[in-house]
């Protein structure tokens, strides 16, 4: 049972028996149904039931002798902000027909790994293109089981321009360092030491979230879960049409990376508004095309 069912309003669905009851009903008239051939030439199906605008449940499994055999079910929310990255790598999980993807982004400083919502479909697109290094268009989204609303940090217009300039410079240095530029590596090392010194002094008298504006850190044992602090740039109230549970849909901006997340109203502390910040742990998902 996927623990993130709660994030899209299925709090009471805690057993496979209850989930199978929905599946038996939905498979007669799903909102979205698709079939694909995987690498083993098996017929794989994806069956989706929308529970609201942009979120719901997807069942994955194989089709044998006309019978749908469900193997995995996961909640999802669709992302709505596209951006492109090169050299996205895809890897199948232990459970068949489920994939994770990874790409490197200098705004985060680490490889970002996420659960792929359309892994089998994307593999088909990739095979037809005959080029595994094509630039991939993706959208990112996430589900949260807990969250806290933080007030924003106040910066003057001059400070904002200075910070944007510093960020662009750091990205250039990281790009150069990746290509083996020793001067860039040395500059980055000095930058990191300077940041460490300044933070060490400020942390003695200030709250950590008045120093750290945003963050994106791997969380727990799962490679696609992250602890995040990001700016809220969009807020929408929603209701799960099947269970009537209230949901918050938030669009987050982490240094230019946009992530649409879903969280149960009961699990969010504080009132979300544009300009404020969200702090919480998310299961990161993505759609590739």
């Amino acid at each position: 049972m996927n623990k993130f069912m709660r994030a899209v309003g299925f709090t009471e669905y805690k057993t496979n028996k209850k989930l199978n009851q929905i599946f038996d009903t939905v498979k007669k008239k799903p909102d979205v149904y698709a079939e694909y051939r995987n690498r083993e030439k098996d017929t794989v199906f994806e069956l989706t039931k929308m529970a609201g605008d942009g979120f719901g449940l997807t069942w994955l499994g194989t089709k044998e002798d006309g019978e749908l055999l469900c193997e995995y079910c996961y909640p999802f929310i669709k992302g709505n902000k596209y951006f492109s990255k090169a050299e996205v790598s895809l890897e199948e999980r232990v459970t068949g027909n489920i994939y994770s993807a990874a790409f490197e982004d200098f705004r985060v400083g680490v490889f970002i790994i996420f659960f792929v919502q359309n892994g089998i479909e994307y593999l088909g697109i990739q095979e037809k293109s005959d080029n595994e290094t094509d630039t991939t268009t993706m959208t990112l989204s996430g589900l949260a089981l807990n969250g806290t609303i933080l007030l924003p940090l106040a910066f003057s217009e001059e400070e904002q321009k200075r910070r944007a300039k510093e960020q662009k410079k750091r990205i250039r240095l990281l790009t150069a360092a990746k290509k083996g530029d020793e001067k860039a590596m040395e500059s980055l090392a000095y930058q990191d030491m300077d940041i460490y010194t300044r933070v060490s002094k400020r942390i003695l008298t200030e709250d950590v979230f008045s120093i750290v504006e945003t963050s994106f850190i791997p969380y727990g044992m799962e490679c696609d879960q992250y602890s995040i602090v990001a700016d809220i740039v969009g807020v929408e109230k929603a209701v799960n049409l099947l269970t009537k549970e209230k949901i918050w849909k938030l669009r987050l901006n982490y240094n230019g990376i946009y992530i649409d997340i879903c969280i149960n109203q009961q699990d969010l502390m504080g009132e979300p508004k544009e300009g404020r910040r969200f702090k919480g742990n998310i299961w990161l998902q993505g759609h590739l095309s």
Side-chain angles (χ1 to χ4, degrees):
M1 175 60 61
N2 193 302
K3 65 180 181 180
F4 287 91
M5 299 285 288
R6 178 184 180 90
V8 295
F10 289 96
T11 303
E12 298 303 319
Y13 289 81
K14 299 178 180 178
T15 64
N16 287 324
K17 182 178 179 181
K18 294 199 72 172
L19 199 58
N20 286 334
Q21 289 174 354
I22 301 182
F23 178 63
D24 291 337
T25 302
V26 170
K27 68 181 180 181
K28 298 174 183 177
K29 193 176 181 181
D31 292 322
V32 180
Y33 181 84
E35 289 185 1
Y36 308 98
R37 287 278 187 176
N38 63 11
R39 289 174 173 174
E40 287 74 37
K41 304 304 179 183
D42 297 323
T43 300
V44 181
F45 73 87
E46 289 183 354
L47 183 153
T48 298
K49 177 63 178 177
M50 304 302 295
D53 183 17
F55 64 93
L57 300 177
T58 292
W59 287 264
L60 297 173
T62 55
K63 186 177 182 181
E64 298 181 11
D65 300 324
E67 184 69 19
L68 301 183
L69 305 177
C70 182
E71 298 173 356
Y72 188 70
C73 176
Y74 68 90
F76 71 89
I77 175 176
K78 292 181 178 179
N80 292 303
K81 189 76 174 180
Y82 287 89
F83 67 97
S84 295
K85 285 290 167 184
E87 299 181 12
V88 173
S89 59
L90 204 67
E91 184 173 334
E92 188 171 9
R93 296 193 175 193
V94 175
T95 305
N97 304 313
I98 302 172
Y99 295 84
S100 293
F103 68 93
E104 187 176 15
D105 193 287
F106 291 130
R107 289 168 290 189
V108 180
V110 297
F111 273 91
I112 297 177
I113 302 172
F114 59 90
F115 174 87
V116 181
Q117 296 173 340
N118 63 325
I120 300 171
E121 177 191 20
Y122 177 70
L123 283 175
I125 296 171
Q126 216 176 31
E127 287 174 2
K128 290 178 182 178
S129 71
D130 295 323
N131 188 349
E132 294 186 358
T133 60
D134 276 347
T135 298
T136 301
T137 301
M138 70 185 80
T139 61
L140 294 181
S141 57
L143 301 176
L145 296 179
N146 60 76
T148 304
I149 302 302
L150 304 177
L151 293 175
L153 298 180
F155 294 107
S156 66
E157 188 174 340
E158 287 186 5
E159 287 176 321
Q160 290 176 350
K161 289 180 179 178
R162 178 182 58 79
R163 289 164 64 86
K165 187 176 180 180
E166 288 177 352
Q167 185 183 25
K168 289 180 181 179
K169 181 181 177 181
R170 184 171 177 84
I171 290 173
R172 286 197 299 269
L173 287 172
L174 285 166
T175 303
K178 187 180 178 182
K179 295 178 180 178
D181 189 323
E182 293 185 3
K183 288 185 177 180
M185 295 179 192
E186 187 177 336
S187 295
L188 287 169
Y190 281 125
Q191 276 188 13
D192 289 341
M193 286 189 289
D194 181 54
I195 291 171
Y196 177 79
T197 301
R198 284 185 288 153
V199 170
S200 297
K201 291 179 179 178
R202 291 182 61 185
I203 199 68
L204 297 174
T205 56
E206 298 180 48
D207 179 79
V208 64
F209 292 111
S210 67
I211 302 171
V212 179
E213 183 182 1
T214 59
S215 66
F216 195 90
I217 305 169
Y219 172 78
M221 299 294 288
E222 298 291 338
C223 59
D224 53 11
Q225 294 184 26
Y226 297 86
S227 177
I228 185 172
V229 178
D231 298 321
I232 299 173
V233 295
V235 177
E236 182 182 344
K237 282 185 177 181
V239 175
N240 184 312
L241 301 176
L242 303 177
T243 65
K244 307 306 178 186
E245 291 187 41
K246 296 179 180 179
I247 305 297
W248 282 111
K249 293 170 62 180
L250 308 177
R251 173 168 291 177
L252 306 181
N253 176 11
Y254 173 78
N255 291 345
I257 297 176
Y258 291 89
I259 306 172
D260 291 288
I261 73 163
C262 211
I263 184 171
N264 198 300
Q265 182 175 293
Q266 302 176 61
D267 299 327
L268 183 62
M269 182 179 295
E271 183 180 0
K273 288 186 177 181
E274 291 185 24
R276 294 181 178 180
R277 293 179 292 167
F278 171 87
K279 171 184 172 293
N281 303 320
I282 65 170
W283 175 31
L284 191 63
Q285 302 182 350
H287 186 280
L288 304 176
S289 59

